[in-house]
Amino acid sequence: MKFENTVLVTAIPYFRRLLFFREEIWVSGLRVRQIQTRIREMFEEGIDLSGISENDSQRDVKILTRCLAAFAVYSATGCSTEEASNAVWDGSDDNGIDAAFFDQEEKQVVIVQSKWIQSGTGEPEASSISTFANGIKDLIENSIDSFAERLQTKVASISDALMRPGTTIRVIVVSTGSSSLATHATRNLNRLINELNDGDEDGIATFSVLGMTEVFDGLASDAHAGQITLSATLLDWSRVTHPHMAYVGIIDGSQLKAWWNNHGKRIVAKNIRYALGETDVNSQIRRTAEQNPESFWYFHNGITLIADDAARAPIAASSHASGNFEFRGASIVNGAQTVSTLAKVTDDDALGSVRVSMRVILLRGAPSEFGSDVTRTNNLQNRVEGRDFVSRDPEQERIRGEMLLEGIEYQIHRSEDLISTPTSCDLIEVTTALACASPEPSHSVAAKTGIGRFFNDLSKAPYKAIFNPRTTGARAFNAVRIHRSIDEWIERKKSAAARRSGYSWGVLVHGNRAIAASVFNELGTDILDQPIISFPNDYRNLVNETCERVYPEILQHLEEDFPNKALAVLFKGPKNCKTIYETVASRLEERQTT
């Protein structure tokens, strides 16, 4: 009897574990079925299923895999279900990429691999992840020929987005299995991300894994979108009662960060724009919050919310110095950039010192269209950019006047009316050309990665390095003419390319500014400093000949010293471009002396 009791006591933990395991399997199976039903409702209708035969034994799995890829895009970007469905690439010769989407608001390319796992356990195979990583490289390198013909238009569109300064990359592996990948698969993706970021902690690429748990939670959260309740402590608050109810007050940055961390994009679901990522303005917002938080209220605009209703805690009801509020059905309609940027600040002490003006407009009792009108009109203001202050620089007015004397129109102010002609140019074109003509290679890199940084501070480099008393109107416009000819040569070379992949293609696509910098260096400064009217008539031939010498030198240097690199990343690195610039100059000089 004692022996039997001992066996029974020993067996109890085993049976408990067995029952728990069986319950886990049952729950996983239930969640997979719930996910299956929901994602088919959301995405199947909009997905191209033409490549899946009606008699395919794996038809349901393939459809669900595509729906899952669409969900990953939808969840990561906040786009519509139609846009997410159209982003699906899955099919033959997709190079391991099941979906890709450019989020224009956040300047982010989302690249997805998906796998439907009916059991709710397991993970994508390491070989699939390896194919996916190689496909991402081909996409970033604009290797169009590496993809099926049916995808080449989409590949070209994403590749164009990847060439835009400030664009980031988010890699997602999604499945209805584990929330993590095996060691080998993780190592593959980490290697890719490190290569794309080139050792920069704040690099352009990140990756994440969504398993069954994350997919289920995301779908459940989406079902409650638009029903957000926000709690807030407002300082120095007041109430507006006519003609519509509203509250006005000041909120600290810590609360706004908590809002964003808890709700993400759902908090701006009714806004016209989501977060725009690392724009010049957002960088300034973050810089103020981190370095000068006490001045934030003076330097930056506030935020506007709409909410269905509000409630205020009765404590200290007669005081307007501080009030605890709850706003139901809340949404940010103006100030999304402020909130999303403050959420990235890691110094919580600084955030606690940040003060932000806030308006909360209540929709209870208002006309049905009032909320839409508030949203629309709060987003009509034109954004003031750093370049808009350039017109106040006396050097710019001098350059404009010198060009005008030689019959050239130089448009400094932003305008949609100007069309570049042989006798006109604008600020962006002049800045780009002078940056490439500069003897400092980092300036051409800045022109490649974000022209706006030239206008962040007009009192110092890089702006002052290219716009200073030595910059004549003739030099500026002559640089434009040469730069236009370089771009024309690159476009002709691309049109004549036998294959749109590899280093020979990548240099033309991603190395356009590096080519320009080396061509300017080879031509020298004398050609730039001639009067506009005396500029050589055959300068295009001279530029073409120089391009034909520079291009193969860059190509050879990269193949020898930078093999198997992601050129889209390499050409954005100042150190790399300086090496290329100096090596090409040295090689060309050696060839001329031999």
Side-chain angles (χ1 to χ4, degrees), residues 269-561:
K270 298 176 184 177
N271 198 5
I272 289 175
R273 297 184 302 177
Y274 289 117
L276 297 180
E278 289 298 325
T279 65
D280 294 338
V281 172
N282 290 351
S283 295
Q284 182 60 54
I285 289 174
R286 184 170 181 174
R287 196 154 47 243
T288 303
E290 292 174 337
Q291 300 175 9
N292 193 9
E294 291 81 6
S295 298
F296 194 94
W297 185 86
Y298 299 94
F299 291 175
H300 300 286
N301 295 331
I303 64 174
T304 300
L305 273 72
I306 55 175
D308 295 332
D309 206 350
R312 182 164 58 90
I315 188 170
S318 62
S319 172
H320 284 241
S322 176
N324 296 326
F325 292 85
E326 190 175 78
F327 301 111
R328 295 184 285 272
S331 175
I332 296 173
V333 297
N334 188 267
Q337 312 313 311
T338 299
V339 178
S340 63
T341 301
L342 290 176
K344 297 175 183 177
V345 176
T346 58
D347 186 342
D348 291 335
D349 290 337
L351 267 183
S353 299
V354 167
R355 297 290 182 265
V356 182
S357 296
M358 187 171 83
R359 296 187 302 164
V360 184
I361 299 171
L362 303 184
L363 303 182
R364 177 169 52 90
S368 59
E369 296 300 316
F370 183 63
S372 298
D373 291 342
V374 170
T375 301
R376 177 178 55 82
T377 53
N378 270 268
N379 287 277
L380 290 179
Q381 295 91 344
N382 290 320
R383 174 187 166 203
V384 178
E385 299 179 355
R387 64 158 293 180
D388 294 320
F389 296 99
V390 171
S391 60
R392 301 173 63 182
D393 180 10
E395 298 292 355
Q396 291 290 345
E397 189 59 30
R398 175 186 57 77
I399 293 170
R400 190 191 68 81
E402 290 177 5
M403 284 194 193
L404 189 62
L405 288 175
E406 297 205 58
I408 304 301
E409 180 186 0
Y410 176 30
Q411 181 71 53
I412 303 172
H413 297 84
R414 274 195 294 170
S415 173
E416 61 180 20
D417 299 329
L418 182 75
I419 299 175
S420 294
T421 70
T423 58
S424 68
C425 58
D426 71 352
L427 175 66
I428 298 302
E429 195 174 19
V430 169
T431 303
T432 304
L434 289 175
C436 291
S438 167
E440 173 49 60
S442 65
H443 294 155
S444 62
V445 176
K448 177 74 176 177
T449 57
I451 199 74
R453 67 188 56 188
F454 281 92
F455 313 124
N456 285 342
D457 189 336
L458 306 186
S459 65
K460 61 183 182 181
Y463 178 81
K464 278 299 184 185
I466 62 174
F467 291 111
N468 52 62
R470 297 186 302 277
T471 308
T472 64
R475 169 179 276 260
F477 189 68
N478 289 340
V480 167
R481 292 204 280 197
I482 291 174
H483 193 261
R484 286 176 180 175
S485 293
I486 295 170
D487 281 346
E488 290 167 2
W489 180 90
I490 290 173
E491 289 305 312
R492 288 195 302 272
K493 195 78 172 177
K494 286 167 64 178
S495 297
R499 52 192 293 262
R500 294 176 292 177
S501 60
Y503 269 26
S504 60
W505 176 257
V507 170
L508 296 171
V509 172
H510 303 294
N512 56 337
R513 301 297 183 235
I515 292 173
S518 291
V519 169
F520 273 111
N521 186 53
E522 185 69 6
L523 291 173
T525 59
D526 289 347
I527 191 171
L528 297 178
D529 292 330
Q530 298 182 45
I532 294 173
I533 197 171
S534 303
F535 201 67
N537 293 326
D538 64 343
Y539 74 93
R540 287 188 177 86
N541 293 333
L542 182 60
V543 169
N544 292 340
E545 291 169 2
T546 309
C547 287
E548 293 290 349
R549 293 199 307 274
V550 163
Y551 171 69
E553 293 294 348
I554 293 178
L555 190 57
Q556 182 181 351
H557 173 46
L558 292 176
E559 290 173 341
E560 291 175 354
D561 299 331

